[in-house]
């Protein structure tokens, strides 16, 4: 089995072959894209060009209809008209030799009182209605090109006009659009189907219908003789008018009353990502996306919203995919995501109750559009190179310093673990389309990645299908999502990179004398890392699925109810096989060890919600209420065996091993658990005159994990906003386009801890002999049950300002927040007895985090060919433990993160009342004595007595040394376009924090015997001769600023009957880093959670990633 | 619409009860109230505190507090290994603080056991044994066992801390009792339990002999613990045990016997209470891990890793000369003809072995013949002696660094990978013969009762009486021809206080007795290797800070 992997690894055996391989793929992708484009790239089909097209046409005497048809061909244009208005049978003739189309048309049509206008590449012919030409903001100037001549309007009696209003871009229907007759009080709204019906009082007076809808540009349409007027509304250009997904519904961005950020797919960070969340890194203020092993295709990304606040109840946000809470992002292809929305503050998140305190991330996948079938192909290839390697002694230097014996070889262990010809590819194809009543979208992707290390691989493929179906004339709507995804994962072992640093570089990798063929490396915590990775298989087969089905009943135009049923599942089959040549097999005199573990997670969701909305004068009211039931099931079993007759069968024949035959060996286990969440919730949105906005929500939620009397909790939220730009002072302001002040308050909870903690349970412990002398499993109380265990509650306050300035060129928001965690759940020391275990999982402690977030966009330049947009996202966050005590429990502190062997220097951080989370706790460095022994300041006070750290240092000499949690996070995005090219330059940095550099502690001191060392041991740290202790000497500033992403794209304009869009792009990630941190890269250090800023010893390589992609839409 | 709303409300009202049910469903474990079903479940619950008791006695902190604070054992820092936050330096040098995690372990380990006994006692008292298919006499026995086991846990506490809470239920948070109250509680519990206990019960369970032996321990130390000497009662109970009043026991004729009990089904007649082991099922693993070298598995024939931590305190200085401390130097307190002093080696494929120590050059196990060592295959070191032969020495120093290393002296923090004689009284027999981890942990043996009685005699001035009792045990340690030189009966003048303290060291080496014995003999504050005489009384551990923080009713003791 490992041979199989090795073959994969060996398949592309030299870099030259690899380059050729890449080139082949690239050429193939380009060829595929271009073959559909017809290479008709040069033609400019912009609307304004149409009227100036030179026409050469000789029709002779013919019908107006025929003349128009011939003009369509000659000018490559399309006319739209009604034969009721245009006298199509009238005989006309056109003689044109190179005249512009507009002149030809004027000459041809004006005698019949027909005007024309260019709308969306079509030329619409219409009655010149006297005074009012059809006006649309973007094209009105063309209408004036005609020479309108006033003719009397048709004298019809009162008339009913009907029609449908849709979104111009997506084609989606728009309910609730206001339709009024200009200059009158007559008005209606579109229903849930986007349909309206309005009585026009005096058609003869050339009435005009005004269609207006928040977030869209208002449109005025003269009624003329039409009785059916369908309108497509265009969204306002400014980002402020974006529609934002919030819990259980959507709202317009401009109506938000709380801190919510949406990143649309077009704004995602481009390139090859191992997790979709990487696509919003640095895009959302207050959201910290990090990954200490970003290049490992199997490692998930850490995400933290507004700092860490919880001790034991989890600090990860709630992920909601297409409305189903508790989703798994592994189940979504990055190209399927339409937008990612983050509910940052408590008032927005409170509608999700007990799981929402760490923020809520709503992922919306793309759905189809009515109309032509659209086919999208989106793919990339990628390659990683190592960006930085540990600066260790060369074999020569190692020997020169006499660290250990020369074992003959000159081995670069690190390089041996690197797969230079790593390669990734991701192909994605989506088909969507539909009719008025049915919309569908199906997508599939395939991704394959061999990672930078010689073991990690990932291969995944999946399909996603969604549909929307209307029935009974729109009374019922059905929609659903179905996904299935398989991922084959092969894992590495980060520990090998520690071995690569510390191993004697003169040890040969291979030893022909050894039975395994590898060099045997003996000693404490050392092993042959190459053997470790190659002589084993360690991976998993993951199968993910989601099926959700929704039925919506539109009871009234403004009242509907919706039922959702969803099932999400993950099925993991862990596979492990350690061959007979693995070190553990040799050490234990075994021939191979195999293990299979199957774990399944199945979540069921049932939700029933109702919506009502109404507009009374300037009062806009929306009400939503609902019920939610979720259950989460988990079960697993594993079995293992060893001593196989051959390495060929491994875990595929677990019964073939001898190991489990021995008495007392078991080699199997199983477990199962279940959790339920039930909630009732409601929300009211009210706005007055688009000026005063208010939102209030309530969720009453229960979770089975809590104590019998404490299962239910209430989570209220309220927020309000005042649109200052509506004040007279700002009316017609040249500076302020939109300005809104927001205030919000919300209560949320946390429940991210293990199941059954509140329940008194008996569980099996070790073995003992029974009365018959047989070994039985003994049973005893499993836990300290805490019947009082209840919600960890968080109160959040947020004040924010949204603004759009200078003709909407500058936009953004500023938010300040304060979060207070109460009843924070932690394991607390309790007296034993009466308690059986010395820790009780209980509500104790309070935390707080506060911060300021800024998001600023500036469309700096926008000329015809060139545009430049820049964006700054900046965050300041500070989190602290206010108190780790309450009436009953009074300890006041807890030590965190015991540093590893050898030496076990103790705990690196302490959480204490009033102290910031992530504070380092240890000795204050006071230089060295004449023998090079580390000295520390007595009592932790500089300037007092210097004492020997290892011999005299005691608890009272420890003090706070620094903090590992970055206070500031800054990202700076720049997008430049020139003609068909676009360039995005994205910088990212974190500031004001410390990293405890364990590399310097463990491999940077000459006192560490027999291990290879950093060069620093003999330079920067040469004065230290004693062993490591936790002092601020090993603390370094973690501040960094890096060019995180550089993408160059080319989107040629293509005129082709099939090809709608083509984009080719190249991305480089992690170009350079400005930092003083002496470790590999500050981003390899975890900065989220409760123990941030500890630079681990097992560091996965930091890489620079190159990717090349193409996106084609047909 | 109105109707729709009514229907919807009705539907909601109907669904409401089932839609709001948040009862937990448990699958892998058992809800406590539903646990007891039959005899099997009773026995499984009854044995849980015993299983914890084994851990409490023979896994970590309690052993470390008894032995590393005394003169026989040390966990030296060996180069980069074993600094461990200075814990071992502090334990050895009597510089511990209430924050010390091992002292907390000395508190929490016994108290968890007490809590478990309390739970089982409450449970059992509520059970109807007849309904579960058992006899009332079993119920009485089970309750007596739990009370005895609980008293055993309290012996740790009175020994370590003196003033500790007496907790007998599962609800009450309790403050401290005086040492006299704790002593009286233990005494009453044991005395009341003995009648309901069987004689010569199962291995790993308390019986009359076990409970009576605890009384011996209690009375023997009464003077130190309560200020009142109770040697008479000690002698009385000890005599009763020796006379078979509490069951039939006898001194094992073989010096290895009590420690190889359990191997190949052997049960030593000397062992009053032993905790049984079985490979893969319940192993004696901490003891192996703490003492054996990383490479020991090659010479001892097993597949286990270990920590290379604890060894005997050195008898010799850096020049190889014997130290002249009155205490410590455990290896050299054995005379050269003492059978126990031999280097450990297996001598047959039938599980025979000799010697209690690993010293000198280490060799690979002779797997061809199935026992002994393969003198052609030297086991190498992996740290300071990487690639060089691993040779244990009865010294501690940085020999590998030459003169500059030796200049650092012989200290707890100047060890190397081969420092110290390794203790293998609990034999690690070959895995390939299925004898690895089959020997029991010897908790109480008849020899202890003999020695206690001897001590009572000695203290009342009856040296010949003491000598006779000691010799009854000691004789097995010497070849017949040299025995007369060693016999106290034959050489009564040799049995002095110092000799008695040394003899306790030799007989109970590594059996978790030493700190208590030194304190009882008033020697705990004296100097020994790398340890100066104590400036103040260190015979009681402070109440650990974590315990003080957790229980508002607790106060510090004399050591806080």
């Amino acid at each position: 089995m490992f041979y199989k992997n090795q073959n994969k690894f060996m398949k592309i055996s030299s870099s030259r072959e690899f380059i050729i391989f890449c080139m082949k793929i690239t050429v193939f992708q380009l060829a595929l894209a271009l073959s559909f484009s017809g290479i008709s790239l040069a033609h400019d089909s912009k609307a304004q060009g149409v009227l100036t097209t030179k026409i050469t046409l000789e029709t002779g005497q013919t019908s107006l209809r025929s003349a128009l048809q011939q003009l369509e061909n000659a000018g490559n244009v399309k006319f739209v008209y009604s034969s009721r208005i245009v006298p199509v049978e009238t005989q006309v003739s056109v003689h044109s030799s190179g005249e512009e189309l507009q002149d030809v048309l004027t000459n041809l049509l004006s005698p019949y009182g027909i005007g024309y206008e260019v709308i969306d590449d079509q030329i619409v012919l219409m009655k010149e209605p006297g005074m009012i030409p059809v006006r649309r903001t973007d094209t009105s100037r063309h209408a004036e090109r005609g020479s309108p001549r006033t003719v009397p309007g048709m004298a019809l009696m009162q008339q009913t006009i009907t029609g449908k209003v849709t979104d111009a871009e997506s084609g989606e229907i728009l309910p609730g659009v206001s339709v009024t007759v200009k200059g009158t009080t007559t008005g209606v709204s579109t229903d849930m189907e986007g349909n309206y019906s309005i009585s026009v009082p005096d058609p003869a007076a050339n009435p005009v219908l005004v269609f207006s809808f928040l977030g869209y540009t208002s449109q005025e349409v003269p009624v003329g003789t039409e009785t059916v007027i369908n309108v497509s509304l265009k969204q306002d250009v400014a980002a402020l008018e974006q529609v934002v997904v919030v819990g259980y519904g959507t709202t317009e961005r401009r109506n938000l009353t709380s801190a919510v950020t949406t990143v649309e797919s077009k704004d995602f960070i481009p390139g090859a990502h191992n997790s979709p969340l990487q696509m919003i890194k640095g895009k959302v203020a207050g959201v910290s996306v990090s990954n200490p092993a970003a290049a490992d295709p199997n490692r998930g990304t850490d995400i933290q919203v507004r700092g860490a606040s919880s001790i034991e109840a989890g600090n990860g946000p709630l992920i909601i995919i297409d409305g189903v809470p508790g989703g798994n992002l592994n189940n979504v292809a990055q190209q399927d995501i339409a937008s990612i929305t983050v509910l940052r503050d408590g008032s927005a998140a409170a509608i999700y109750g007990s799981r929402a305190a760490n923020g809520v991330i709503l992922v919306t996948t793309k759905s189809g559009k009515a109309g032509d079938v659209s086919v999208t192909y989106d793919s990339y290839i990628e390659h990683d190179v190592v960006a930085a390697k540990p600066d260790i002694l060369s074999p020569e230097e190692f020997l020169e310093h006499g660290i250990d014996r020369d074992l003959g070889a000159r081995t670069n262990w690190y390089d041996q673990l690197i797969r230079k010809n790593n390669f990734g590819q991701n192909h994605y194809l989506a088909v969507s389309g539909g009719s008025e009543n049915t919309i569908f979208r199906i997508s599939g992707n395939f991704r394959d990645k061999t990672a930078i290390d010689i073991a990690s691989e990932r291969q995944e493929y999946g399909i996603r299908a969604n549909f929307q179906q209307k029935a009974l004339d729109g009374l019922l709507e059905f929609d659903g999502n179905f996904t299935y995804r398989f991922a084959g994962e092969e894992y590495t072992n980060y520990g090998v990179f520690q071995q690569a640093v510390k191993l004697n570089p003169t040890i040969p990798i291979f030893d022909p004398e050894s039975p395994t063929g590898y060099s045997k490396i003996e000693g404490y915590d050392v092993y042959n890392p190459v053997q470790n990775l190659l002589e084993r298989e360690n991976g998993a087969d993951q199968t993910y699925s989601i099926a959700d089905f929704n039925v919506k009943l539109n009871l009234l135009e403004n009242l509907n109810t919706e039922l959702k049923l969803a099932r999400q599942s993950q099925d993991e089959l862990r596979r492990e096989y350690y061959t007979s040549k693995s070190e553990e097999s040799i050490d234990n005199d075994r021939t191979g060890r195999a293990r299979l573990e199957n774990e399944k997670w199945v979540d069921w969701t049932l939700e029933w919600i109702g919506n009502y909305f109404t507009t009374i004068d300037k009062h806009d009211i929306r009400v939503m209420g609902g019920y939610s039931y979720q259950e989460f099931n988990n079960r697993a079993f594993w079995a293992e065996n060893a001593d196989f007759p051959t390495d060929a069968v491994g875990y595929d024949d677990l019964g073939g091993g001898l190991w489990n035959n021995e008495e007392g060996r078991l080699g199997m286990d199983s477990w199962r658990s279940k959790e339920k969440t039930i909630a009732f919730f409601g929300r009211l949105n009210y706005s007055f005159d688009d000026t005063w906005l208010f939102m209030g929500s309530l969720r009453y939620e229960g979770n089975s994990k809590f104590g019998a009397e404490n299962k239910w909790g209430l989570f209220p939220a309220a927020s309000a906003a005042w649109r200052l730009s509506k004040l007279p002072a700002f009316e017609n302001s040249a500076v302020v386009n939109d300005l809104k002040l927001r205030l919000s308050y919300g209560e949320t909870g946390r429940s991210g801890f293990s199941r059954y903690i509140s329940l008194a349970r008996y569980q099996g412990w070790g073995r003992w002999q029974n009365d018959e002398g047989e070994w039985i499993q003994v049973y005893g109380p499993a836990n300290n049950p805490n019947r009082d265990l209840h919600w960890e509650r968080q109160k959040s306050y947020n004040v924010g300002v949204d603004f759009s300035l200078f003709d909407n060129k500058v936009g953004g928001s500023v938010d300040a927040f304060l979060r207070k965690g109460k009843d924070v759940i932690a394991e607390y020391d309790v007296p034993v007895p009466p308690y059986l275990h010395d820790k009780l999982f209980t509500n104790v402690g309070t935390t707080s985090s506060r911060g300021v977030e800024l998001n600023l966009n500036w469309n700096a330049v926008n000329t015809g060919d060139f545009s430049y947009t820049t964006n700054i996202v900046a965050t300041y966050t500070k989190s602290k433990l206010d108190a780790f005590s309450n009436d009953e429990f009074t300890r006041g502190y807890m030590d965190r993160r015991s540093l590893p062997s050898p030496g076990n220097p103790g705990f690196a951080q302490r959480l204490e009342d009033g102290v910031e989370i992530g504070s380092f706790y240890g000795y204050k460095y006071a230089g060295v004595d004449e023998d090079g022994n580390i000295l520390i300041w007595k009592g932790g006070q500089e300037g007092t007595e210097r004492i020997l750290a290892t011999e005299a240092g005691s608890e009272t000499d420890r003090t706070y040394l620094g903090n590992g949690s970055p206070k500031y996070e800054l990202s700076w995005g720049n997008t430049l376009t020139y003609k068909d090219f676009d360039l995005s330059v994205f910088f990212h940095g974190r500031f004001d924090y410390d990293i405890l550099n364990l590399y310097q502690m463990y491999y940077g001191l000459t006192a560490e015997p027999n291990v290879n060392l950093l060069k620093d041991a003999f330079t920067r740290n040469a004065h230290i001769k004693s062993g490591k202790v936790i002092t601020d000497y090993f603390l370094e500033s973690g501040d960094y600023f890096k060019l995180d992403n550089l993408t160059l794209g080319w989107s040629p304009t293509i005129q082709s009957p099939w090809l709608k869009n083509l984009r080719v792009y190249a991305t480089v990630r992690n170009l350079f880093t400005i930092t003083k941190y002496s470790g590999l890269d500050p981003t390899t250090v975890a900065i989220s959670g409760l123990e941030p800023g500890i630079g681990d010893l097992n560091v996965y390589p930091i890489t620079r990633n190159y990717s090349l992609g193409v996106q084609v839409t047909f | 619409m109105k109707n729709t709303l009514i229907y919807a409300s009705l539907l909601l009202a109907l669904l409401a009860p089932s839609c709001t049910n948040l009862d937990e469903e448990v699958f892998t474990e058992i809800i406590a109230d539903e646990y007891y079903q039959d005899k099997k479940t009773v026995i499984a619950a009854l044995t849980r505190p015993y299983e914890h008791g084994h851990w409490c006695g023979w896994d970590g902190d309690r052993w470390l507090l008894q032995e590393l604070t005394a003169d026989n054992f040390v966990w030296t820092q060996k180069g980069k290994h074993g600094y461990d936050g200075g814990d071992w330096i502090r334990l050895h040098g009597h510089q511990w603080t209430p924050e010390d995690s091992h002292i907390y372990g000395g508190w929490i380990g016994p108290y968890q056991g007490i809590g478990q006994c309390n739970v089982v006692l409450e449970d059992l008292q509520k059970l109807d044994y007849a309904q579960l298919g058992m006899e009332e006499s079993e119920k009485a026995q089970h309750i007596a066992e739990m009370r005895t086991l609980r008293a055993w846990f309290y012996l740790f506490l009175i020994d370590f801390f003196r003033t500790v809470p007496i907790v007998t239920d599962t609800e009450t948070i309790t403050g401290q009792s005086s040492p006299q109250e704790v002593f009286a509680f233990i005494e009453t519990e044991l005395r009341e339990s003995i009648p309901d206990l069987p004689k010569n019960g199962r291995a790993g369970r308390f019986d009359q002999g076990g409970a009576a032996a605890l009384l011996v321990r209690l009375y023997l130390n009464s003077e130190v613990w309560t200020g009142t000497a109770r040697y008479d009662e000690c002698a009385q109970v000890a005599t009763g045990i020796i006379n078979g009043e509490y069951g039939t026991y006898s001194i094992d004729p073989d010096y290895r016997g009590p420690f190889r009990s359990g191997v190949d089904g052997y049960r030593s007649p000397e062992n009053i209470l032993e905790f049984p082991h079985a490979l893969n099922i319940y192993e004696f693993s901490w003891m192996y891990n703490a003492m054996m070298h990383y490479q020991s598995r090659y010479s001892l024939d097993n597949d286990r890793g270990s920590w290379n931590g604890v060894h005997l305190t050195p008898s010799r200085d850096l020049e190889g000369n014997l130290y002249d401390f009155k205490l410590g130097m455990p290896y050299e307190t054995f005379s050269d003809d003492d059978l126990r002093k031999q280097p450990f080696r297996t001598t047959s494929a039938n599980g025979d072995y000799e010697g209690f120590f690993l010293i000198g050059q280490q060799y690979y196990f002779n797997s061809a013949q199935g026992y002994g060592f393969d003198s052609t295959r030297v086991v190498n070191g992996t740290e300071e002696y990487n690639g060089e032969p691993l040779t244990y020495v009865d010294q501690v120093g940085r020999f590998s660094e030459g003169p500059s290393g030796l200049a650092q002296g012989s200290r707890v923090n100047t060890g190397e990978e081969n420092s110290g004689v390794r203790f293998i009284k609990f034999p690690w027999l070959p895995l390939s013969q299925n004898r690895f981890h089959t020997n029991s942990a010897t908790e109480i043996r008849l020899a202890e009762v003999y020695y206690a009685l001897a001590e009572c005699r000695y203290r009342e001035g009856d040296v010949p009486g003491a000598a006779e009792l000691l010799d009854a045990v000691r004789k097995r340690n010497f070849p017949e021809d040299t025995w007369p030189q060693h016999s106290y009966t034959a050489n009564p003048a040799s049995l002095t206080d110092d000799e008695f303290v040394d003899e306790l060291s030799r007989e109970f080496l590594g059996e978790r007795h030493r700190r208590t014995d030194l304190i009882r003999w008033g020697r705990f504050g004296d100097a020994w290797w790398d340890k100066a005489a104590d400036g103040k009384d260190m015979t009681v551990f402070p109440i650990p800070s974590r315990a003080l923080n957790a229980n508002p009713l607790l106060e510090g003791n004399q050591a806080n």
Side-chain angles (χ1 to χ4, degrees), chain A residues 616-863:
Chain A
I616 304 161
D617 289 339
K618 290 179 173 179
H619 308 274
D620 189 56
I621 297 165
R622 284 162 190 262
V623 184
M624 184 277 295
Y627 166 81
S628 166
Y629 171 90
Q630 278 199 289
E631 68 172 53
F632 308 91
N633 298 281
N634 167 245
R635 66 192 311 171
F637 69 87
W638 61 264
E640 72 177 352
N641 205 348
D643 284 333
F644 291 92
T646 157
D647 283 334
V649 291
Y651 55 65
D652 289 324
D653 181 20
L654 278 180
L658 298 173
W659 184 85
N660 248 325
N661 293 351
E662 189 175 310
E663 194 182 343
R665 293 214 168 122
L666 188 57
M668 66 171 93
D669 199 9
S670 66
W671 62 90
R672 181 180 172 191
S673 70
K674 182 176 179 175
E675 174 184 345
K676 286 188 282 189
T677 304
I678 294 173
F680 299 88
F681 49 88
R683 180 171 59 210
L684 170 73
N685 285 81
Y686 168 75
S687 77
F688 176 74
D689 196 23
D690 194 27
T691 304
W692 296 95
L693 306 158
F694 171 80
M695 187 284 296
S697 75
L698 208 56
R699 186 175 178 112
Y700 182 60
E701 181 164 272
N703 185 308
S704 56
K705 285 193 294 196
F706 289 94
E709 304 304 314
N710 297 292
K711 291 202 189 287
W712 292 87
L714 192 64
F715 300 94
S719 56
W722 177 25
R723 175 156 284 110
L724 293 161
S725 49
K726 283 271 183 173
L727 288 173
F730 291 114
E731 217 171 341
N732 304 319
S733 161
V735 178
V736 176
N737 307 103
D738 192 65
L739 183 65
K740 185 176 64 178
L741 176 68
R742 293 181 271 106
L743 271 174
S744 74
Y745 169 79
E747 288 187 30
T748 48
R750 284 195 185 84
S751 50
F753 53 83
S754 311
R755 292 163 190 171
Y756 307 124
I757 281 174
S758 69
L759 204 62
R761 289 166 286 134
Y762 268 55
Q763 73 166 45
W765 292 86
R767 303 296 176 102
W768 207 252
Q769 292 182 355
N770 66 9
D771 288 4
E772 287 71 43
E774 299 156 339
W775 287 96
I776 56 163
Q777 184 167 48
V778 302
Y779 268 79
N783 58 324
N784 278 338
N786 183 355
R787 289 171 188 86
D788 296 328
L789 193 68
H790 54 275
W791 302 116
E792 175 172 328
R793 194 169 273 279
Q794 184 164 274
K795 297 182 179 188
S796 313
Y797 306 84
N798 193 92
V799 54
V801 176
D802 295 335
F803 53 88
S804 184
L805 312 172
F806 305 110
D807 203 12
N808 294 325
K809 278 200 163 62
V810 177
S813 62
V814 183
D815 280 281
F817 70 88
L818 171 64
R819 292 202 316 200
K820 287 278 200 188
K822 202 173 146 270
D823 297 344
V824 170
I825 293 170
E827 283 207 302
Y828 207 92
D829 283 357
V830 289
V832 178
Y835 292 102
L836 274 175
H837 305 276
D838 60 2
K839 285 179 182 299
L840 179 70
F841 207 78
T842 188
N843 299 89
V844 60
T846 51
T847 57
S848 64
S849 51
R850 60 202 73 210
V852 180
E853 297 158 354
L854 169 73
N855 185 351
L856 196 63
N857 297 296
W858 181 27
N859 296 316
V861 182
N862 193 356
T863 67

Side-chain angles (χ1 to χ4, degrees), chain B residues 339-369:
Chain B
L339 297 172
R340 297 170 294 184
K341 198 180 180 183
Q342 303 171 77
F344 175 87
R345 57 187 281 267
T346 48
T347 55
S348 82
N350 303 320
D352 297 317
Y353 66 93
E354 59 191 25
F356 279 180
F357 304 101
L358 292 174
I359 185 167
Q361 175 63 55
Q362 300 299 296
Y363 297 95
Y364 273 77
F365 181 70
N366 189 335
S367 38
Q369 71 179 20

Side-chain angles (χ1 to χ4, degrees), chain B residues 55-74:
Chain B
W55 171 84
C56 182
W58 297 96
D59 190 330
D61 294 334
R62 281 65 47 187
W63 193 95
L64 293 170
L65 288 186
Q66 282 291 68
E67 299 288 1
L68 294 196
T69 63
D71 59 337
N72 284 340
F73 289 90
V74 64

Side-chain angles (χ1 to χ4, degrees), chain B residues 10 37 46 86 97 125 127 134 154 174 180 200 248-249 300 325 364 372 398 407 436 440 462 469 481-482 526 537:
Chain B
L10 275 174
Q37 300 293 334
L46 181 79
T97 66
Q125 273 151 357
L127 290 181
M134 290 185 289
Y154 270 108
T174 318
Q180 293 75 20
N200 292 99
T248 311
Y249 304 99
L300 299 177
F325 296 110
Y364 273 77
R398 301 289 300 163
F436 190 50
S440 298
D462 178 9
L469 285 160
D481 56 329
T482 60
D526 295 356
D537 179 23

Side-chain angles (χ1 to χ4, degrees), chain A residues 756 761-762 829 904 1010, chain B residues 25 29-30 84 123 383 546:
Chain A
Y756 307 124
R761 289 166 286 134
Y762 268 55
D829 283 357
N904 298 87
N1010 303 331
Chain B
E25 292 173 63
E29 295 163 333
I30 303 159
D84 297 338
D123 286 348
E383 306 293 311
R546 273 184 75 180

Side-chain angles (χ1 to χ4, degrees), chain A residues 878-893:
Chain A
K878 199 169 181 172
S879 301
K880 69 177 185 186
L881 183 75
D882 288 336
F884 186 50
S885 54
N886 60 20
D887 295 346
E888 198 177 345
F889 308 112
T890 54
R891 180 141 58 104
Y893 72 90

Side-chain angles (χ1 to χ4, degrees), chain B residues 100-170:
Chain B
D100 195 302
S101 68
H102 306 288
I103 294 178
Y104 181 67
W107 176 276
I108 196 71
Y111 266 129
Q112 276 188 309
I114 289 163
Q116 288 169 14
C117 291
N118 288 342
V119 168
V120 176
L121 278 168
E122 276 187 10
D123 286 348
L124 296 187
Q125 273 151 357
K126 281 183 262 177
L127 290 181
D128 180 350
Y129 266 49
Q131 210 174 25
L132 297 171
M134 290 185 289
E135 307 291 327
E136 277 304 306
S137 62
E138 288 180 87
K139 182 171 181 172
Q141 180 196 324
H142 291 165
I143 287 171
E145 278 188 65
M146 287 299 100
R147 292 175 72 183
T148 307
L149 180 58
R150 184 170 65 183
W152 177 74
F153 286 122
Y154 270 108
L155 281 168
F156 285 95
L157 296 168
I158 192 171
D159 185 22
F160 290 157
F161 305 103
R162 304 284 192 273
T163 62
V164 295
I166 299 170
V167 188
T168 54
D169 65 30
T170 59

